């Protein structure tokens, strides 16, 4: 008995030492937290835990009573701050609950000779804490349940490009941006029978010796003539048999790439078929027999190339030997990698309308982001829209040999309405992004926002600005959606939906740019950095996925109370006054962050039902201005190497008073262990359904699990597949089978959702990250769903080279 008592005494003292360490850490952090305006809880709980530890070490039963007060106080504090939100309660209760359970274990409790008056309150606290967690696990305050309407209010949506139902000949099937197919062989009743039909591998993998960190596979294939066309990591173009997955031909542009590139990205290719009695941009009949059907590929070193869809050979009549060099053509600066076309262009009967990414936050001497239109047959420059030029349509000449440097650019996919002959271009701000004191009024007329141009001439029809004097990199990043929306009186209004990084979806009449959904101006925080200014107001669309309330202590997360405290201290150390808080030398919390709530994936729209499916993300960023000084010169030293690649970390911003340090708002403690976990309470990624007739979010659910979130970390094993809501990067697919498909989440799955309710009804494991947008087509009466699982360097997902097709087994297809 004596030896058992002695052993118990050792255990109780070991527990006391561990508790004392926890208490001291909370006291130290709590004092610092109070000094910067954080909660009092950490200091009080730390003092209570330390006092309990002291009495436990002395084997005094009052230790249990003191800890009972700590535990009950923690429960009250946690419920008052976050309510019955399981993921918010976990870090606030996990450590204190575990300690409470340990204190009740016999070998710890017995040496104290504690009676039920000492153990009873602690036992009650343990039960209440466990009960709060159990009850909250069945409640999700972030979840919105509902059902989208199923009525086909527009049974025959416009199809001005006459796209066959079975094909997918443009990035979003049509150039309206809707990522929707009228195919319905695969539907909510049989999708659970989907099987892999074939897998094709490109063999084009990451080369760490020459590729930048942001090496990404984001391609969505095209399909026509029973052939898939898509681009791989190094912009090789593949033609693949759409039934068997066998490669027909490969075109290698031999990209000139190095690790200083900010992007190595291809979202897809475009296609053009020479129509009967075709006319070129000069109105003359097209006489060439070169490339009846052509694939238009963009290369990140600044080239546009045309390839014969049948043979894989270049179209010799286009440009010089089948290509036009956009980097050298009228650009003020020509450093390779600073001008990088990453998205497929709009293609009309006559023209290729080209946008491009320009290196973010490099210097004030960057290439122009001017939009250009080229004759699809000859490569002749037909028109230009240079947003920072007082005359945006001024063509190059001897007096004007170069486009405007640092002119705002559009790096995403544009949309095209053939009936209106208008192209809709999502605009981003000219770099550098986070300090705008150098910008003139011409550079700030349009971006960020949407511009509508006459597709033949490039003349401005209308423009709409979504952020004024952007200091947060709030580019309009998603392809706009062109949808004819039924009004209460039964008339159809041609609308354009513009999803933005801010979480707002601006809804306009696409003929005039007039708002359909109100977007009133609301006051915005002031106090920009020296030499800069802020807009006193910013537009806020009434259709938005952005949380209604600014971030507060209730939104701060961590795996345990200790790193939750660290995240809270981090939060209070930053400047944050809600959306549009200007960047600062103190460090500013930017939410929605630079990654945005809507990235390039955008919305998938069923135009018959006039409903949309989307996958918003919620990761705050930290933006810190770094003043110039001896170690941060205004211009680089001679022979200094180029940038480091990627868009996070310290960016030089040469030529302005500040460099910028950008990174996600991540848990500092876990980050030191190689675990990139956000300091914001999950969900970090969701799916949502929108009724476009009422412009209301009808349902919204967490999406994705933790299973692959820590790929490449120091953890010896993967995390369990717990549904928490993880980020996604890529877009959805919608079909007439009442289905939406999404592959872009941080865990490696393709999922099918009931479009009406948003519930997952099928999923399959993928061999790598699939930060791309899936597509569908049908051949010989069999529908296929295809996704490209190639991984994404900046998203930290597993890299790969897999093009994967799914279909129903032949026996389950009704002929």
């Amino acid at each position: 008995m004596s030896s058992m008592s002695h052993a118990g005494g050792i255990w109780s003292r070991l527990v006391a030492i561990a508790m004392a360490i926890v208490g001291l850490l909370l006291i130290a952090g709590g004092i610092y937290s109070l000094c910067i305006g954080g909660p009092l809880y950490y200091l009080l709980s730390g003092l209570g835990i330390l006092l309990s530890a002291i009495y436990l070490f002395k084997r005094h039963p009052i230790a249990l009573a003191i800890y009972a007060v700590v535990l009950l106080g923690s429960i009250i504090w946690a419920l008052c701050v976050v309510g019955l939100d399981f993921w918010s309660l976990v870090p606030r209760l996990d450590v204190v609950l575990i300690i409470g359970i340990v204190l009740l274990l016999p070998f710890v409790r017995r040496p104290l000779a504690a009676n039920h008056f000492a153990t009873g309150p602690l036992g009650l606290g343990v039960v209440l804490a466990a009960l709060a967690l159990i009850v909250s696990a069945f409640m999700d305050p972030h979840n919105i349940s509902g059902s989208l309407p199923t009525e086909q209010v527009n049974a025959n949506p416009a199809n001005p490009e006459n796209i066959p139902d079975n094909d997918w000949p443009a990035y979003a099937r049509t150039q309206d941006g809707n990522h929707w197919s009228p195919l319905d062989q695969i539907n909510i009743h049989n999708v659970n029978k989907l099987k892999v039909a074939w897998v094709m591998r490109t063999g084009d993998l990451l080369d760490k010796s020459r590729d930048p960190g942001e090496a990404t596979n984001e391609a969505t294939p095209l399909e026509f003539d029973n052939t898939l066309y898509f681009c791989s990591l190094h912009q090789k173009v593949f033609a693949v048999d759409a039934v068997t997955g066998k490669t027909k031909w490969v075109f290698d542009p031999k990209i000139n790439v190095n690790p200083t590139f900010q992007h190595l990205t291809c979202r897809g290719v475009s296609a053009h078929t020479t129509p009967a009695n075709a006319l070129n941009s000069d109105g003359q009949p097209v006489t060439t027999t070169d490339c009846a059907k052509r694939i238009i590929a963009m290369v990140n070193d600044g080239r546009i190339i045309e390839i014969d869809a049948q043979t894989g050979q270049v179209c010799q009549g286009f440009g010089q030997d089948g290509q036009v060099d956009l980097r050298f053509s009228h650009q003020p600066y020509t450093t390779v990698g600073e001008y990088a076309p990453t998205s497929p262009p709009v293609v009309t009967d006559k023209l290729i309308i080209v946008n491009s990414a320009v290196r973010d936050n490099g210097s004030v001497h960057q290439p122009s982001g001017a939009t250009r239109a080229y004759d699809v047959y000859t490569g002749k420059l037909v028109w230009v829209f240079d947003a920072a030029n007082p005359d945006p349509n001024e063509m190059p000449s001897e007096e004007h040999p170069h486009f405007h440097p640092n002119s705002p650019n559009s790096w995403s996919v544009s949309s095209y309405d053939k009936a209106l002959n208008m192209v809709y271009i999502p605009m981003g701000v000219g770099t550098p992004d986070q300090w705008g004191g150098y910008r003139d009024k011409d550079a700030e007329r349009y971006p960020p926002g949407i511009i509508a141009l006459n597709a033949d001439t490039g003349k401005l029809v209308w423009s709409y600005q979504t952020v004024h004097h952007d200091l947060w990199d709030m580019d309009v990043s998603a392809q706009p959606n062109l949808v004819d929306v039924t009004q209460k009186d039964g008339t159809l209004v041609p609308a354009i939906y513009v999803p933005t990084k801010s979480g707002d979806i601006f809804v306009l009449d696409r003929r005039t740019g007039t708002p359909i959904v109100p977007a009133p101006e609301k006051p915005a925080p002031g106090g920009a950095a020296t030499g800069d200014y802020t807009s006193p107001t910013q537009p806020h669309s009434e259709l938005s996925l952005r949380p209604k309330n600014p971030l507060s202590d209730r939104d701060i997360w961590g795996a345990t109370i200790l790193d939750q405290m660290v995240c809270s201290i981090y939060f209070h150390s930053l400047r944050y006054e809600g959306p549009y808080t200007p960047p600062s030398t103190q460090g500013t919390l930017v939410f929605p962050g630079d990654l945005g709530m809507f990235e390039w994936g955008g919305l998938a729209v069923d135009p018959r039902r006039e409903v949309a499916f989307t996958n918003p993300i919620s990761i705050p960023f930290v933006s810190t201005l770094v003043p110039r000084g001896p170690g941060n010169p205004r211009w680089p030293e001679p022979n200094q190497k180029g940038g480091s690649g990627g868009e996070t970390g310290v960016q030089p911003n040469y030529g302005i008073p500040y460099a910028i340090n950008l990174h996600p708002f991540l848990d500092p403690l876990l980050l030191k262990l190689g675990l990139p976990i956000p300091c914001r309470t999950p969900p970090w990624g969701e799916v949502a359904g929108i009724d476009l007739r009422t412009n209301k979010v009808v349902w919204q659910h967490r999406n994705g699990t933790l299973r692959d979130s820590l790929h490449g970390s120091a953890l010896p094993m993967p995390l369990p597949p717990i549904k928490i809501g993880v980020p996604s990067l890529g877009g959805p697919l919608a079909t007439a089978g009442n289905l939406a498909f999404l592959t872009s989440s941080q865990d490696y799955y393709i999922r099918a959702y009931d479009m009406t309710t948003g519930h997952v009804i099928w999923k399959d494991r993928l061999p790598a990250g699939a930060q791309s947008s899936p597509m569908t087509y049908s051949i010989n009466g069999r529908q296929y769903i295809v996704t490209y699982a190639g991984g994404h360097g900046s998203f930290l997902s597993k890299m790969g080279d897999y093009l994967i097709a799914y279909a129903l087994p032949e026996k389950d297809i009704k002929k």
Side-chain angles (χ1 to χ4, degrees):
M1 189 73 175
S2 175
S3 62
M4 291 178 61
S5 176
H6 177 69
I10 292 174
W11 276 111
S12 64
R13 288 185 173 178
L14 289 174
V15 172
I17 292 170
M19 288 175 61
I21 292 172
V22 172
L24 289 170
L25 290 172
L26 286 171
I27 290 169
I31 292 172
Y32 187 72
S33 176
L34 276 178
C35 291
I36 59 173
L40 178 62
Y41 167 79
Y42 307 112
L43 176 58
L44 293 181
S45 62
L47 289 170
I49 292 172
L50 179 61
L51 185 60
S52 177
I54 291 171
Y55 280 106
L56 179 62
F57 195 85
K58 295 179 178 180
R59 302 189 191 181
H60 197 295
I62 198 173
L64 303 185
I66 293 171
Y67 195 79
V69 173
V70 172
L71 181 53
L72 290 168
S74 296
I75 296 169
I76 294 170
W77 169 73
L79 291 174
C80 288
V81 172
V82 301
L84 289 171
D85 182 342
F86 176 78
W87 288 108
S88 295
L89 283 176
V90 165
R92 291 167 172 84
L93 295 181
D94 53 6
V95 170
V96 290
L97 175 57
I98 290 169
I99 292 175
I101 293 171
V102 170
L103 289 176
L104 289 175
L105 295 176
F107 58 83
V108 176
R109 172 173 47 84
R110 281 175 182 162
L112 279 62
N115 56 35
H116 66 276
F117 291 106
T119 58
L122 180 56
L124 176 63
V126 167
V127 170
L128 290 176
L131 186 63
L133 290 171
I134 292 170
V135 171
S136 66
F138 294 93
M139 304 175 67
D140 187 353
H142 298 276
N143 187 71
I144 301 172
S145 295
S147 296
L148 290 171
T150 57
E151 176 192 4
Q152 290 192 6
V153 289
N154 184 12
N156 296 295
N159 183 15
E161 296 177 83
N162 295 316
I163 304 299
D165 287 358
N166 292 341
D167 286 347
W168 192 281
Y171 173 72
R173 184 174 170 270
T174 65
Q175 295 191 97
D176 59 14
N178 288 335
H179 291 268
W180 177 79
S181 170
L183 299 177
D184 61 2
Q185 181 184 89
I186 301 169
N187 54 60
I188 59 171
H189 304 295
N190 59 21
V191 68
N192 62 321
K193 298 179 180 179
L194 276 184
K195 301 294 181 185
V196 173
W198 51 258
V199 177
M200 175 265 182
R201 302 192 66 175
T202 68
D204 188 8
L205 297 168
L206 181 70
D207 182 348
K208 292 184 179 180
S209 68
R210 65 169 181 153
D211 294 341
E214 192 167 325
T216 69
N217 289 286
E218 299 179 355
T220 297
L222 309 184
E223 187 280 330
F224 56 90
D225 294 341
N226 297 350
T227 305
L228 292 166
Y229 301 93
F230 74 105
C231 48
S232 62
L233 184 65
H234 295 95
Q235 275 104 76
K236 295 179 181 180
V237 179
F238 288 79
V240 176
D241 187 295
V243 175
T244 66
K246 301 297 183 182
T247 300
K248 293 184 173 182
W249 55 255
V250 182
F251 177 83
D252 185 356
K254 298 185 176 0
I255 184 173
N256 177 12
V257 67
N258 64 67
T260 68
F261 274 40
Q262 201 165 60
H263 306 279
L264 183 59
T265 295
C266 183
R267 296 187 182 92
V269 296
S270 297
H272 178 271
T273 298
T274 303
N277 303 316
L279 302 177
N280 64 20
S281 60
D282 293 324
Q284 300 301 313
V286 174
T287 58
T288 178
T289 58
D290 188 26
C291 299
K293 295 184 178 181
R294 57 192 74 205
I295 302 298
I296 298 111
M298 312 301 291
V299 188
N300 288 173
D301 58 15
R303 289 175 289 156
I304 180 172
I305 302 176
E306 285 195 349
I307 308 159
D308 189 305
Q310 299 299 315
T311 67
Q313 303 298 310
V314 296
C315 302
Q316 292 292 338
F318 180 77
Q320 183 174 0
D321 296 325
Q323 68 180 24
V324 172
D325 195 319
L326 304 170
R327 177 166 59 95
F328 283 100
S329 178
H330 310 297
Q331 281 289 4
Y333 304 103
T334 59
T335 302
V336 65
E338 293 191 346
Y339 179 89
T342 56
S343 296
V346 160
V347 180
T348 72
D349 286 346
K350 305 173 184 178
L351 301 175
I352 306 169
I353 300 172
V354 178
N355 300 316
S356 292
V358 174
R359 179 182 180 85
D360 274 338
N361 300 316
S363 78
V364 297
H365 292 169
Q366 298 285 141
S368 173
T371 294
R372 290 176 264 180
Y374 291 90
D375 187 298
V376 72
Y377 302 104
T378 67
K380 170 190 171 184
L381 180 64
V382 176
W383 59 255
V384 62
F385 190 89
D386 190 353
N389 189 326
D391 176 7
N393 297 119
E394 183 179 8
M395 292 289 282
S397 64
E398 290 185 6
E399 295 77 23
H400 176 66
H402 301 126
F403 301 132
H404 197 288
N406 290 68
S407 190
N409 68 302
S410 174
W411 53 264
S412 190
V413 186
S414 298
S415 296
Y416 172 58
D417 186 329
K418 185 173 183 177
L420 293 176
N421 195 34
M422 289 165 65
V423 59
Y424 303 91
I425 301 176
M427 293 294 294
V429 70
T431 188
D433 295 323
Q434 281 76 23
W435 190 84
Y438 72 99
R439 303 176 197 155
D440 62 27
K441 61 181 179 63
D442 292 321
E444 298 227 284
R445 284 175 298 181
Y446 307 115
I450 192 82
I451 57 173
L453 307 180
N454 180 289
D456 287 340
T457 66
K459 298 291 185 181
L460 181 72
V461 181
W462 56 261
S463 67
Y464 186 90
Q465 192 170 67
T466 55
V467 176
H468 310 316
H469 192 63
D470 180 17
L471 303 176
W472 307 272
D473 193 20
M474 289 290 118
D475 301 342
V476 178
S477 54
Q479 183 182 17
N481 298 82
L482 311 184
V483 192
D484 295 338
V485 179
T486 305
Q487 304 301 294
K488 291 181 179 178
D489 62 3
T491 59
L492 284 174
V493 170
I496 181 171
Y497 283 73
V498 185
T500 64
K501 286 186 177 183
S502 69
D504 287 332
I505 302 174
F506 293 88
V507 187
L508 316 170
D509 186 317
R510 68 176 182 267
R511 298 166 297 186
T512 63
T514 304
I516 295 173
V517 173
E521 297 281 336
K522 295 183 180 181
T530 302
D532 204 354
Y533 65 95
T534 59
S535 172
T537 63
Q538 294 289 354
H540 290 251
S541 175
E542 291 184 4
L543 175 56
S544 181
L545 275 293
R546 181 177 54 233
K548 293 181 180 179
N549 299 315
L551 297 181
S552 65
D553 275 305
R554 68 170 294 135
D555 301 297
I556 303 305
W557 202 65
T560 69
I561 188 61
L562 293 173
D563 54 307
Q564 196 272 336
M565 175 184 68
V566 170
C567 280
S568 177
I569 291 171
Y570 190 12
F571 172 66
H572 285 282
S573 72
L574 298 170
R575 184 179 177 192
Y576 178 68
E577 296 146 36
Y580 305 112
T581 303
S584 62
T585 55
Q586 173 186 346
T588 292
L589 187 68
V590 180
F591 182 72
D594 290 46
L595 197 59
M597 295 199 75
F598 293 106
E599 254 292 334
W600 48 269
L603 314 178
V605 171
D606 182 335
R608 293 176 180 171
R609 295 166 58 187
E610 298 176 12
V611 297
F613 178 103
T614 189
N615 51 308
I617 54 180
S618 304
I619 305 291
F621 267 60
V622 177
S623 174
T624 306
L625 295 173
V626 183
R628 296 292 177 201
N632 181 18
R634 197 176 184 102
W635 291 103
E637 299 297 329
N639 301 320
Q640 182 172 328
K641 292 182 179 180
S644 59
E647 296 182 75
T648 57
V650 177
Q651 309 287 302
N653 280 353
Y654 291 127
I656 68 171
Y658 304 94
I660 186 72
N661 189 351
L662 295 170
H663 53 83
F665 182 48
L666 301 179
D667 184 324
L669 285 183
L670 294 182
L671 193 59
K672 290 183 182 299
L673 301 175
L675 309 178
I677 299 295
C679 272
R680 181 181 184 266
T681 300
W684 307 306
E686 298 172 283
V687 290
I690 305 169
D691 183 344
L692 302 184
R693 295 185 69 188
T694 62
N695 291 300
K696 301 294 183 184
V697 177
V698 173
W699 53 257
Q700 190 167 351
H701 312 305
R702 297 174 188 267
N703 186 65
T705 71
L706 286 171
R707 177 168 179 174
D708 301 301
S709 296
L710 303 180
H711 169 73
S713 73
L715 286 185
M717 62 184 68
L719 292 173
I722 301 172
K723 185 178 179 181
I724 191 172
V726 296
S728 56
L729 193 58
L733 159 70
T735 76
N738 190 26
L739 289 172
F741 292 87
L742 189 69
T743 66
S744 58
S745 60
Q746 203 167 43
D747 55 352
Y748 309 152
Y749 288 97
I750 177 173
R751 291 181 172 91
Y753 306 78
D754 182 322
M755 186 94 166
T756 301
T757 64
H759 295 145
V760 176
I761 53 179
W762 171 83
K763 65 180 180 180
D764 191 46
R765 186 76 173 153
L766 297 171
Q771 279 66 57
S772 58
S773 302
M775 50 81 71
T776 187
Y777 58 92
S778 179
I779 296 176
N780 299 328
R782 192 181 192 194
Q783 183 183 354
Y784 297 81
I785 307 290
V786 172
T787 190
Y788 186 33
H792 199 285
S794 58
F795 208 59
L796 303 181
S797 63
K798 181 181 177 182
M799 301 297 283
D801 65 337
Y802 305 87
L803 188 68
I804 305 172
Y806 291 87
L808 295 174
E810 292 283 359
K811 64 182 179 62
D812 293 311
I813 296 175
K814 295 180 180 179
K815 300 293 186 180

